[in-house]
Amino acid sequence: MTATAQAGPILRIEGLNAHIAGQQVVEDVSFTVPATGITALLGRNGVGKTSTIKAIIGLIDRSGLVELDGVRVEKEPTYKIIRSGVGYVPEDREVFSKLTVAENLRLAERDAAPRRQLVEELFPDLLARSGQMAGTLSGGQQQMVSLARALLNTNKILLVDEPTKGLAPKIVAEVAETLAEAAKTVPILLVEQNLQVVRQLAAGAVVLSGGKVVHTGNALEFLDDDGLTQRLLGVSTEAVSHEASPHAEARHAAASQEKGAAL
Amino acid sequence: MTTETDATDTQETPDKTPDPAGSPRRRAVNDGGRPPLHLTRGRMVGAAAGIAGIVLLILLPLLNLSLPGVLPGPTYTPGSLQLLAMCMLMAAAALTYHLLLGVAGLLSFGHALYFGAGVYGLGIILQNLDIPLLPAMGLTLLVVIVLAHVVGSISLRVSGIPFAMVTLAFAQAGSVVVGRNPEGATGGDEGLTLRTDNLPDFLVGVVNTRNLYWLALAVLVAVFIIVTWVQSSRAGHVAAAVRENELRVRVLGLQPYLVKLLIFVVSAVLVSIIGMVFLLLQSGAVPRAVSADLTITLLVMVVLGGVGSRWGAVIGGVFYTILDQRLTALANSDAIDALPDVLRVPLSEPLFILGTLFILVVLFLPGGLTGTAQRLAQRRSRRGADRVQKSREILEEAA
Amino acid sequence: MSTVVLLLFTGLGLGALYFLVAAGLSLIYGLMGVLNFAHGAFLTLGAFTGWEIARRTGADSWWTFLLSLLVGAVAGAVFAAFTEFVLIRRLYRRHIEQVLITVGLSLAAVALFDGIWGTDAVFIQGPAWFKETTEILGARIPNDRFICIIAAVLVLLALVFFLKNTRYGMIIRAGVENRSMVTALGIDVRKAFTLVFTIGGAAAGLGGVLASHYFGYVSPLLGGSLLIFAFIVTVIGGLGSLTGAAIAAVAVAVLQQFANFYLGGTGDFVVVLALALVLLFRPSGLLGRTS
Ligand SMILES: Nc1ncnc2c1ncn2[C@@H]1O[C@H](COP(=O)(O)OP(=O)(O)O)[C@@H](O)[C@H]1O
Ligand SMILES: [Mg+2]
């Protein structure tokens, strides 16, 4: 289904520049996303993570090279890039609030045989609420809709922007589990502020500052370098690395067993 | 003409990081970052050319020059002076529209309301009150200032396209009043004939057309200077910044609303003064002066000339006025009459040709006449392309 | 009482026309962010083609009338589709330039109509029944009002059905709310653009034929004068909201009729005043998105 066996990166960005309202928000950004696992895109607020994601799929004007699975797509319009196998989970969920949950999902179906069953198993809650206006859902439920929209189709990569933003800890864990499951079959580029989640999920990390890439490498090594995280993200990771992590990983393992059959 | 006085000069944003591989867009934003020496020399050449041009224009009524195909007769004849004066008033009006669209990023469809307020306000006051011209103009100005504040403060509650619609609605109300002819004040569809009893003699009659011509020239020069001054003032800078990024200006604690209102009112006041001179030049007021068509004409002039450029507005105003006049003459000519219907019908409608031309300019000549001219003249440098880019950005930001 | 009823029905008839223009305007703006100044030209073209049909096939038969409605709607739709496909589409995402194009198009089109059909109003005839009246609660209502009202209600119902029950309807509703997210789901939203233009043009063309019967004449300026009120209706109703447009169309037209009758012909002012009030207290309109 996906390019798991392939050696090259699934996504290659080179010299990406993007502007919003005459201001450069992405500056000469280059990185690659490997064909398996989760790669984290990190940085403080406002450094251009969301803009980078949007520039990749052409939601904002950009220049530079974007190569998806060996094919250059930067000249294509957004809908074609998406159709060539990109699942996009935007920041702030962006569900269509005046459409029902069922309509939100139907709108997202691109494949001839969308994986409705998978989505129903992952998010039983949504099935029960399929006739409800998406705008009346809780933040967590909206995030489920947003994730479901991406997971309905077979993708070469998922671009997931701050999926845990503003959610209760319990929901954060659920979202993280869902992503861990999804990552078994599709590579993910994940923007995430919650470093605990990053530690739990991500293999690689790309760190932005002021619209530029300032660090790339292994995610755990980066998070373990307290000085570096402090400097680049402005937060200390001590608490996360020594207390929460083992716990999270245990839960991760349990969750994998539980839901493994579903995928 | 010189290009050094373009709007782009006042809109540089500080750029800390040198960016050799920067995208065109980035360069466009930093257009003002040319070496200061070049800029000053350019300005001086520009000023010299401007002064020479103005001197020529002042002397024109005393000269016997012919421009066949453009002017109906030699330059000293009243017909030609009338047309030239009209060109200058329209250029000045287009400049005030540039202040709205090019400087503050406001796409107004109601600018004719203030032009019409000047035309009809002065006309009605002269008709009904026995006061001399200057006090009458002062009184009209007072009315316009109040009107512009009221309409501006309400319309500016929305922005972008809704602003366009709302200003249009208000202007339409004005147009309806004029059409309704309340108490016979506006003359309805017929319009109003200027009562000349209290006017100074040198402004009355065909023999004095050249005095009106000089008045129109003075208005154009004054409006150009005022618009330049507003643009380079603090308010102009804030307005440009608001246009580019309203949020950022708010964060800086400035008041975008008040700045926009200020520019709106200044632009309204200026265009109403132009309207008053228009009344004197035309010896009367017609409902078209307050119609949406007039606003659209101003918009077309600014876009034809090149959005964001003062010279563009001037050139657009002159070009449009002359073209309109020539096309009307053409429409009534025998050559057109002899054509088969498929050609005769469209060619005998000046607005059809102007509308089509306008569409073509928007589609194929972004940056308008000035942008295109610069691109052609200066292939080597990037200024022409920058002009085009700037125009596009201004339009984008008005949305 | 009979005056009130008469005013009410006259207002409803006018509101029906406003709605037919505003529906397309509102959907086009909601989905594409384009203020379509050429919408009045769609209407005028519909009115003139409808009149040509009526003139050539015997003006007073019902079949002719129905045919003229159909032809008017088709003419409006074709003109609108052409506008979107040939002109607007080239300037994707450049909203103001798109507006400028529609301004130029409206100038050129009205001038062309002038050239073809002349600047003077041409008077129009429909089935004899139109000129008769029906008595309701003592008021004698001209029958053409009912035709306008029925047509507008049918158009509203058809649009609602289309928006609620078809995939394209769903795409349009989603696009009105968040266009870029629709493309980010892999949907070519430009097809929906052509579609809303076509639908809006058809409604306007239909409205043109009806307007020519309501007012009794066609002139190149017919569309422009209705367009301004349709703008007001869309702002008051909330840009992008079809229901809002329907409610505001009726409210504006009825208000206008009553003010014209009871407040000495001030209908147009009262409408602009209403617009000012709505802007002051609810800038996004009655049913608009609050953004
Ligand atoms: N719609 C917008 N208008 C103006 N500036 C914006 C807009 N969206 C983002 N920006 C600016 O772009 C920069 C990058 O933003 P973003 O990509 O959202 O950052 P992040 O996702 O890393 O928090 C910020 O400085 C932000 O202020
Ligand atoms: Mg972000």
Side-chain angles (χ1 to χ4, degrees), chain B residues 103-145:
Chain B
V103 178
L106 296 172
L107 182 68
S108 166
F109 275 98
H111 207 45
L113 182 60
Y114 312 100
F115 184 83
V119 175
Y120 275 97
L122 183 62
I124 291 170
I125 288 171
L126 287 174
Q127 191 81 36
N128 298 295
L129 305 179
D130 266 323
I131 53 175
L133 181 61
L134 282 181
M137 290 179 87
L139 201 58
T140 312
L141 264 191
L142 214 62
V143 174
V144 170
I145 290 172

mmCIF file of all heavy atoms in Angstrom, chain B residues 103-145:
data_model
loop_
_atom_site.group_PDB
_atom_site.id
_atom_site.type_symbol
_atom_site.label_atom_id
_atom_site.label_comp_id
_atom_site.label_asym_id
_atom_site.label_seq_id
_atom_site.Cartn_x
_atom_site.Cartn_y
_atom_site.Cartn_z
ATOM 1 N N VAL B 103 -3.180 53.802 -1.454
ATOM 2 C CA VAL B 103 -2.510 54.089 -0.187
ATOM 3 C C VAL B 103 -3.153 53.333 0.961
ATOM 4 O O VAL B 103 -2.481 52.651 1.726
ATOM 5 C CB VAL B 103 -2.497 55.605 0.103
ATOM 6 C CG1 VAL B 103 -1.839 55.891 1.439
ATOM 7 C CG2 VAL B 103 -1.771 56.331 -1.018
ATOM 8 N N ALA B 104 -4.488 53.456 1.093
ATOM 9 C CA ALA B 104 -5.136 52.839 2.244
ATOM 10 C C ALA B 104 -5.718 51.463 1.926
ATOM 11 O O ALA B 104 -6.223 50.794 2.819
ATOM 12 C CB ALA B 104 -6.238 53.754 2.777
ATOM 13 N N GLY B 105 -5.652 51.043 0.660
ATOM 14 C CA GLY B 105 -6.185 49.730 0.310
ATOM 15 C C GLY B 105 -7.691 49.636 0.446
ATOM 16 O O GLY B 105 -8.224 48.567 0.704
ATOM 17 N N LEU B 106 -8.384 50.770 0.274
ATOM 18 C CA LEU B 106 -9.842 50.765 0.401
ATOM 19 C C LEU B 106 -10.476 50.766 -0.986
ATOM 20 O O LEU B 106 -10.314 51.719 -1.741
ATOM 21 C CB LEU B 106 -10.309 52.006 1.177
ATOM 22 C CG LEU B 106 -9.849 52.106 2.622
ATOM 23 C CD1 LEU B 106 -10.206 53.466 3.194
ATOM 24 C CD2 LEU B 106 -10.471 51.004 3.448
ATOM 25 N N LEU B 107 -11.185 49.707 -1.305
ATOM 26 C CA LEU B 107 -11.871 49.647 -2.593
ATOM 27 C C LEU B 107 -13.258 50.248 -2.403
ATOM 28 O O LEU B 107 -14.175 49.570 -1.976
ATOM 29 C CB LEU B 107 -11.980 48.203 -3.083
ATOM 30 C CG LEU B 107 -12.648 48.023 -4.444
ATOM 31 C CD1 LEU B 107 -11.792 48.600 -5.550
ATOM 32 C CD2 LEU B 107 -12.915 46.556 -4.712
ATOM 33 N N SER B 108 -13.360 51.558 -2.679
ATOM 34 C CA SER B 108 -14.639 52.239 -2.478
ATOM 35 C C SER B 108 -15.410 52.282 -3.782
ATOM 36 O O SER B 108 -14.846 52.542 -4.828
ATOM 37 C CB SER B 108 -14.392 53.664 -1.981
ATOM 38 O OG SER B 108 -15.580 54.418 -2.103
ATOM 39 N N PHE B 109 -16.714 52.011 -3.694
ATOM 40 C CA PHE B 109 -17.563 52.194 -4.858
ATOM 41 C C PHE B 109 -18.483 53.389 -4.655
ATOM 42 O O PHE B 109 -19.491 53.519 -5.328
ATOM 43 C CB PHE B 109 -18.347 50.918 -5.175
ATOM 44 C CG PHE B 109 -17.567 49.964 -6.014
ATOM 45 C CD1 PHE B 109 -16.887 48.903 -5.441
ATOM 46 C CD2 PHE B 109 -17.474 50.147 -7.372
ATOM 47 C CE1 PHE B 109 -16.139 48.033 -6.218
ATOM 48 C CE2 PHE B 109 -16.735 49.290 -8.156
ATOM 49 C CZ PHE B 109 -16.068 48.226 -7.581
ATOM 50 N N GLY B 110 -18.119 54.246 -3.694
ATOM 51 C CA GLY B 110 -18.985 55.370 -3.398
ATOM 52 C C GLY B 110 -18.287 56.716 -3.458
ATOM 53 O O GLY B 110 -18.752 57.693 -2.882
ATOM 54 N N HIS B 111 -17.156 56.783 -4.165
ATOM 55 C CA HIS B 111 -16.402 58.021 -4.175
ATOM 56 C C HIS B 111 -17.179 59.139 -4.870
ATOM 57 O O HIS B 111 -17.011 60.320 -4.538
ATOM 58 C CB HIS B 111 -15.063 57.796 -4.875
ATOM 59 C CG HIS B 111 -13.985 58.727 -4.430
ATOM 60 N ND1 HIS B 111 -13.766 59.011 -3.103
ATOM 61 C CD2 HIS B 111 -13.079 59.448 -5.123
ATOM 62 C CE1 HIS B 111 -12.764 59.871 -3.011
ATOM 63 N NE2 HIS B 111 -12.336 60.153 -4.221
ATOM 64 N N ALA B 112 -18.038 58.787 -5.806
ATOM 65 C CA ALA B 112 -18.816 59.791 -6.539
ATOM 66 C C ALA B 112 -19.718 60.588 -5.607
ATOM 67 O O ALA B 112 -20.088 61.725 -5.911
ATOM 68 C CB ALA B 112 -19.657 59.118 -7.623
ATOM 69 N N LEU B 113 -20.049 59.999 -4.469
ATOM 70 C CA LEU B 113 -20.908 60.718 -3.527
ATOM 71 C C LEU B 113 -20.288 62.059 -3.140
ATOM 72 O O LEU B 113 -20.976 63.079 -3.045
ATOM 73 C CB LEU B 113 -21.123 59.851 -2.280
ATOM 74 C CG LEU B 113 -22.041 60.403 -1.205
ATOM 75 C CD1 LEU B 113 -23.438 60.643 -1.773
ATOM 76 C CD2 LEU B 113 -22.133 59.437 -0.028
ATOM 77 N N TYR B 114 -18.972 62.073 -2.942
ATOM 78 C CA TYR B 114 -18.310 63.302 -2.478
ATOM 79 C C TYR B 114 -18.033 64.260 -3.627
ATOM 80 O O TYR B 114 -18.108 65.465 -3.474
ATOM 81 C CB TYR B 114 -17.045 62.937 -1.690
ATOM 82 C CG TYR B 114 -17.386 61.861 -0.705
ATOM 83 C CD1 TYR B 114 -17.089 60.532 -0.952
ATOM 84 C CD2 TYR B 114 -18.144 62.173 0.426
ATOM 85 C CE1 TYR B 114 -17.501 59.542 -0.092
ATOM 86 C CE2 TYR B 114 -18.557 61.186 1.290
ATOM 87 C CZ TYR B 114 -18.234 59.871 1.025
ATOM 88 O OH TYR B 114 -18.675 58.893 1.867
ATOM 89 N N PHE B 115 -17.709 63.662 -4.768
ATOM 90 C CA PHE B 115 -17.574 64.487 -5.969
ATOM 91 C C PHE B 115 -18.919 65.172 -6.228
ATOM 92 O O PHE B 115 -18.997 66.402 -6.378
ATOM 93 C CB PHE B 115 -17.190 63.593 -7.157
ATOM 94 C CG PHE B 115 -16.935 64.343 -8.434
ATOM 95 C CD1 PHE B 115 -15.705 64.928 -8.671
ATOM 96 C CD2 PHE B 115 -17.921 64.460 -9.397
ATOM 97 C CE1 PHE B 115 -15.461 65.609 -9.854
ATOM 98 C CE2 PHE B 115 -17.690 65.141 -10.580
ATOM 99 C CZ PHE B 115 -16.455 65.724 -10.802
ATOM 100 N N GLY B 116 -19.981 64.366 -6.203
ATOM 101 C CA GLY B 116 -21.326 64.891 -6.441
ATOM 102 C C GLY B 116 -21.738 65.896 -5.375
ATOM 103 O O GLY B 116 -22.398 66.897 -5.667
ATOM 104 N N ALA B 117 -21.310 65.629 -4.130
ATOM 105 C CA ALA B 117 -21.642 66.571 -3.060
ATOM 106 C C ALA B 117 -21.004 67.920 -3.334
ATOM 107 O O ALA B 117 -21.591 68.978 -3.063
ATOM 108 C CB ALA B 117 -21.187 66.021 -1.713
ATOM 109 N N GLY B 118 -19.778 67.911 -3.883
ATOM 110 C CA GLY B 118 -19.127 69.166 -4.254
ATOM 111 C C GLY B 118 -19.874 69.851 -5.384
ATOM 112 O O GLY B 118 -20.180 71.042 -5.317
ATOM 113 N N VAL B 119 -20.200 69.089 -6.410
ATOM 114 C CA VAL B 119 -20.879 69.652 -7.575
ATOM 115 C C VAL B 119 -22.241 70.209 -7.167
ATOM 116 O O VAL B 119 -22.542 71.392 -7.368
ATOM 117 C CB VAL B 119 -21.056 68.572 -8.668
ATOM 118 C CG1 VAL B 119 -21.880 69.128 -9.824
ATOM 119 C CG2 VAL B 119 -19.706 68.082 -9.162
ATOM 120 N N TYR B 120 -23.072 69.335 -6.601
ATOM 121 C CA TYR B 120 -24.432 69.752 -6.282
ATOM 122 C C TYR B 120 -24.490 70.690 -5.081
ATOM 123 O O TYR B 120 -25.293 71.618 -5.042
ATOM 124 C CB TYR B 120 -25.320 68.524 -6.045
ATOM 125 C CG TYR B 120 -25.890 67.976 -7.333
ATOM 126 C CD1 TYR B 120 -25.273 66.914 -7.981
ATOM 127 C CD2 TYR B 120 -27.027 68.532 -7.902
ATOM 128 C CE1 TYR B 120 -25.779 66.417 -9.167
ATOM 129 C CE2 TYR B 120 -27.542 68.052 -9.091
ATOM 130 C CZ TYR B 120 -26.919 66.991 -9.725
ATOM 131 O OH TYR B 120 -27.427 66.513 -10.901
ATOM 132 N N GLY B 121 -23.620 70.415 -4.086
ATOM 133 C CA GLY B 121 -23.624 71.262 -2.895
ATOM 134 C C GLY B 121 -23.377 72.717 -3.273
ATOM 135 O O GLY B 121 -24.161 73.617 -2.939
ATOM 136 N N LEU B 122 -22.294 72.941 -4.025
ATOM 137 C CA LEU B 122 -21.970 74.311 -4.420
ATOM 138 C C LEU B 122 -23.054 74.879 -5.341
ATOM 139 O O LEU B 122 -23.480 76.031 -5.190
ATOM 140 C CB LEU B 122 -20.599 74.338 -5.123
ATOM 141 C CG LEU B 122 -20.106 75.729 -5.516
ATOM 142 C CD1 LEU B 122 -19.925 76.599 -4.283
ATOM 143 C CD2 LEU B 122 -18.807 75.655 -6.306
ATOM 144 N N GLY B 123 -23.529 74.041 -6.258
ATOM 145 C CA GLY B 123 -24.566 74.485 -7.186
ATOM 146 C C GLY B 123 -25.813 74.946 -6.438
ATOM 147 O O GLY B 123 -26.360 76.022 -6.716
ATOM 148 N N ILE B 124 -26.235 74.151 -5.486
ATOM 149 C CA ILE B 124 -27.464 74.473 -4.753
ATOM 150 C C ILE B 124 -27.270 75.709 -3.890
ATOM 151 O O ILE B 124 -28.133 76.583 -3.812
ATOM 152 C CB ILE B 124 -27.896 73.258 -3.896
ATOM 153 C CG1 ILE B 124 -28.358 72.129 -4.820
ATOM 154 C CG2 ILE B 124 -29.014 73.643 -2.941
ATOM 155 C CD1 ILE B 124 -28.583 70.817 -4.125
ATOM 156 N N ILE B 125 -26.101 75.784 -3.246
ATOM 157 C CA ILE B 125 -25.851 76.943 -2.382
ATOM 158 C C ILE B 125 -25.811 78.230 -3.204
ATOM 159 O O ILE B 125 -26.415 79.246 -2.832
ATOM 160 C CB ILE B 125 -24.541 76.743 -1.586
ATOM 161 C CG1 ILE B 125 -24.775 75.672 -0.521
ATOM 162 C CG2 ILE B 125 -24.088 78.045 -0.934
ATOM 163 C CD1 ILE B 125 -23.530 75.226 0.189
ATOM 164 N N LEU B 126 -25.129 78.182 -4.349
ATOM 165 C CA LEU B 126 -25.074 79.379 -5.200
ATOM 166 C C LEU B 126 -26.470 79.747 -5.709
ATOM 167 O O LEU B 126 -26.802 80.912 -5.876
ATOM 168 C CB LEU B 126 -24.128 79.158 -6.377
ATOM 169 C CG LEU B 126 -22.637 79.155 -6.037
ATOM 170 C CD1 LEU B 126 -21.817 78.779 -7.250
ATOM 171 C CD2 LEU B 126 -22.204 80.514 -5.488
ATOM 172 N N GLN B 127 -27.267 78.724 -5.935
ATOM 173 C CA GLN B 127 -28.614 78.931 -6.449
ATOM 174 C C GLN B 127 -29.503 79.633 -5.417
ATOM 175 O O GLN B 127 -30.272 80.523 -5.746
ATOM 176 C CB GLN B 127 -29.222 77.565 -6.776
ATOM 177 C CG GLN B 127 -30.498 77.618 -7.564
ATOM 178 C CD GLN B 127 -30.210 77.827 -9.052
ATOM 179 O OE1 GLN B 127 -29.228 77.315 -9.564
ATOM 180 N NE2 GLN B 127 -31.040 78.588 -9.718
ATOM 181 N N ASN B 128 -29.344 79.206 -4.166
ATOM 182 C CA ASN B 128 -30.326 79.616 -3.167
ATOM 183 C C ASN B 128 -29.862 80.677 -2.178
ATOM 184 O O ASN B 128 -30.670 81.333 -1.551
ATOM 185 C CB ASN B 128 -30.814 78.394 -2.393
ATOM 186 C CG ASN B 128 -31.506 77.409 -3.316
ATOM 187 O OD1 ASN B 128 -32.548 77.720 -3.880
ATOM 188 N ND2 ASN B 128 -30.909 76.245 -3.502
ATOM 189 N N LEU B 129 -28.558 80.803 -2.005
ATOM 190 C CA LEU B 129 -28.079 81.807 -1.050
ATOM 191 C C LEU B 129 -27.331 82.887 -1.812
ATOM 192 O O LEU B 129 -26.637 82.593 -2.778
ATOM 193 C CB LEU B 129 -27.134 81.177 -0.015
ATOM 194 C CG LEU B 129 -27.674 79.989 0.767
ATOM 195 C CD1 LEU B 129 -26.614 79.472 1.726
ATOM 196 C CD2 LEU B 129 -28.925 80.396 1.534
ATOM 197 N N ASP B 130 -27.479 84.102 -1.337
ATOM 198 C CA ASP B 130 -26.767 85.175 -2.013
ATOM 199 C C ASP B 130 -25.428 85.412 -1.349
ATOM 200 O O ASP B 130 -25.214 86.433 -0.681
ATOM 201 C CB ASP B 130 -27.609 86.458 -2.004
ATOM 202 C CG ASP B 130 -28.412 86.569 -3.289
ATOM 203 O OD1 ASP B 130 -27.859 86.174 -4.348
ATOM 204 O OD2 ASP B 130 -29.573 87.007 -3.232
ATOM 205 N N ILE B 131 -24.539 84.443 -1.505
ATOM 206 C CA ILE B 131 -23.202 84.642 -0.931
ATOM 207 C C ILE B 131 -22.170 84.455 -2.028
ATOM 208 O O ILE B 131 -22.404 83.740 -2.997
ATOM 209 C CB ILE B 131 -22.927 83.685 0.252
ATOM 210 C CG1 ILE B 131 -23.191 82.220 -0.157
ATOM 211 C CG2 ILE B 131 -23.789 84.046 1.446
ATOM 212 C CD1 ILE B 131 -22.827 81.228 0.923
ATOM 213 N N PRO B 132 -20.995 85.075 -1.864
ATOM 214 C CA PRO B 132 -19.945 84.965 -2.869
ATOM 215 C C PRO B 132 -19.395 83.540 -2.966
ATOM 216 O O PRO B 132 -19.688 82.686 -2.117
ATOM 217 C CB PRO B 132 -18.860 85.917 -2.375
ATOM 218 C CG PRO B 132 -19.479 86.726 -1.303
ATOM 219 C CD PRO B 132 -20.633 85.971 -0.765
ATOM 220 N N LEU B 133 -18.568 83.306 -3.972
ATOM 221 C CA LEU B 133 -18.078 81.972 -4.272
ATOM 222 C C LEU B 133 -17.325 81.320 -3.113
ATOM 223 O O LEU B 133 -17.611 80.185 -2.725
ATOM 224 C CB LEU B 133 -17.185 82.025 -5.515
ATOM 225 C CG LEU B 133 -16.616 80.679 -5.979
ATOM 226 C CD1 LEU B 133 -17.730 79.725 -6.342
ATOM 227 C CD2 LEU B 133 -15.670 80.870 -7.147
ATOM 228 N N LEU B 134 -16.359 82.049 -2.554
ATOM 229 C CA LEU B 134 -15.507 81.401 -1.552
ATOM 230 C C LEU B 134 -16.276 80.950 -0.317
ATOM 231 O O LEU B 134 -16.126 79.802 0.114
ATOM 232 C CB LEU B 134 -14.319 82.295 -1.187
ATOM 233 C CG LEU B 134 -13.199 82.283 -2.233
ATOM 234 C CD1 LEU B 134 -12.045 83.173 -1.802
ATOM 235 C CD2 LEU B 134 -12.712 80.870 -2.516
ATOM 236 N N PRO B 135 -17.111 81.814 0.278
ATOM 237 C CA PRO B 135 -17.918 81.325 1.409
ATOM 238 C C PRO B 135 -18.816 80.159 1.008
ATOM 239 O O PRO B 135 -18.989 79.221 1.794
ATOM 240 C CB PRO B 135 -18.761 82.535 1.796
ATOM 241 C CG PRO B 135 -18.053 83.702 1.252
ATOM 242 C CD PRO B 135 -17.297 83.249 0.051
ATOM 243 N N ALA B 136 -19.348 80.202 -0.196
ATOM 244 C CA ALA B 136 -20.192 79.102 -0.649
ATOM 245 C C ALA B 136 -19.393 77.808 -0.705
ATOM 246 O O ALA B 136 -19.863 76.733 -0.303
ATOM 247 C CB ALA B 136 -20.772 79.420 -2.030
ATOM 248 N N MET B 137 -18.162 77.909 -1.188
ATOM 249 C CA MET B 137 -17.307 76.719 -1.230
ATOM 250 C C MET B 137 -17.008 76.224 0.178
ATOM 251 O O MET B 137 -17.012 75.021 0.449
ATOM 252 C CB MET B 137 -16.010 77.027 -1.975
ATOM 253 C CG MET B 137 -16.203 77.225 -3.464
ATOM 254 S SD MET B 137 -14.664 77.609 -4.339
ATOM 255 C CE MET B 137 -14.046 75.976 -4.684
ATOM 256 N N GLY B 138 -16.754 77.164 1.087
ATOM 257 C CA GLY B 138 -16.484 76.795 2.473
ATOM 258 C C GLY B 138 -17.650 76.040 3.077
ATOM 259 O O GLY B 138 -17.479 75.008 3.746
ATOM 260 N N LEU B 139 -18.840 76.545 2.809
ATOM 261 C CA LEU B 139 -20.050 75.916 3.340
ATOM 262 C C LEU B 139 -20.196 74.495 2.791
ATOM 263 O O LEU B 139 -20.491 73.543 3.539
ATOM 264 C CB LEU B 139 -21.260 76.771 2.947
ATOM 265 C CG LEU B 139 -22.517 76.592 3.774
ATOM 266 C CD1 LEU B 139 -22.246 76.886 5.238
ATOM 267 C CD2 LEU B 139 -23.616 77.528 3.249
ATOM 268 N N THR B 140 -19.955 74.366 1.489
ATOM 269 C CA THR B 140 -20.037 73.041 0.861
ATOM 270 C C THR B 140 -19.041 72.086 1.510
ATOM 271 O O THR B 140 -19.369 70.940 1.827
ATOM 272 C CB THR B 140 -19.730 73.144 -0.650
ATOM 273 O OG1 THR B 140 -20.489 74.208 -1.193
ATOM 274 C CG2 THR B 140 -20.073 71.863 -1.372
ATOM 275 N N LEU B 141 -17.823 72.592 1.728
ATOM 276 C CA LEU B 141 -16.791 71.762 2.347
ATOM 277 C C LEU B 141 -17.235 71.239 3.697
ATOM 278 O O LEU B 141 -17.006 70.083 4.039
ATOM 279 C CB LEU B 141 -15.517 72.582 2.540
ATOM 280 C CG LEU B 141 -14.462 72.448 1.466
ATOM 281 C CD1 LEU B 141 -13.169 73.089 1.933
ATOM 282 C CD2 LEU B 141 -14.218 70.977 1.170
ATOM 283 N N LEU B 142 -17.875 72.127 4.454
ATOM 284 C CA LEU B 142 -18.344 71.752 5.788
ATOM 285 C C LEU B 142 -19.302 70.574 5.681
ATOM 286 O O LEU B 142 -19.195 69.587 6.431
ATOM 287 C CB LEU B 142 -19.057 72.961 6.400
ATOM 288 C CG LEU B 142 -18.912 73.123 7.903
ATOM 289 C CD1 LEU B 142 -17.454 73.326 8.262
ATOM 290 C CD2 LEU B 142 -19.759 74.303 8.365
ATOM 291 N N VAL B 143 -20.231 70.684 4.739
ATOM 292 C CA VAL B 143 -21.201 69.606 4.529
ATOM 293 C C VAL B 143 -20.481 68.308 4.175
ATOM 294 O O VAL B 143 -20.771 67.245 4.731
ATOM 295 C CB VAL B 143 -22.196 69.982 3.397
ATOM 296 C CG1 VAL B 143 -23.108 68.810 3.069
ATOM 297 C CG2 VAL B 143 -23.001 71.205 3.794
ATOM 298 N N VAL B 144 -19.506 68.413 3.279
ATOM 299 C CA VAL B 144 -18.794 67.214 2.835
ATOM 300 C C VAL B 144 -18.029 66.579 3.989
ATOM 301 O O VAL B 144 -18.012 65.355 4.145
ATOM 302 C CB VAL B 144 -17.837 67.559 1.673
ATOM 303 C CG1 VAL B 144 -16.918 66.381 1.357
ATOM 304 C CG2 VAL B 144 -18.627 67.949 0.444
ATOM 305 N N ILE B 145 -17.417 67.421 4.814
ATOM 306 C CA ILE B 145 -16.646 66.878 5.929
ATOM 307 C C ILE B 145 -17.550 66.068 6.859
ATOM 308 O O ILE B 145 -17.218 64.953 7.265
ATOM 309 C CB ILE B 145 -15.932 68.011 6.693
ATOM 310 C CG1 ILE B 145 -14.811 68.580 5.814
ATOM 311 C CG2 ILE B 145 -15.360 67.511 8.007
ATOM 312 C CD1 ILE B 145 -14.159 69.822 6.383
#
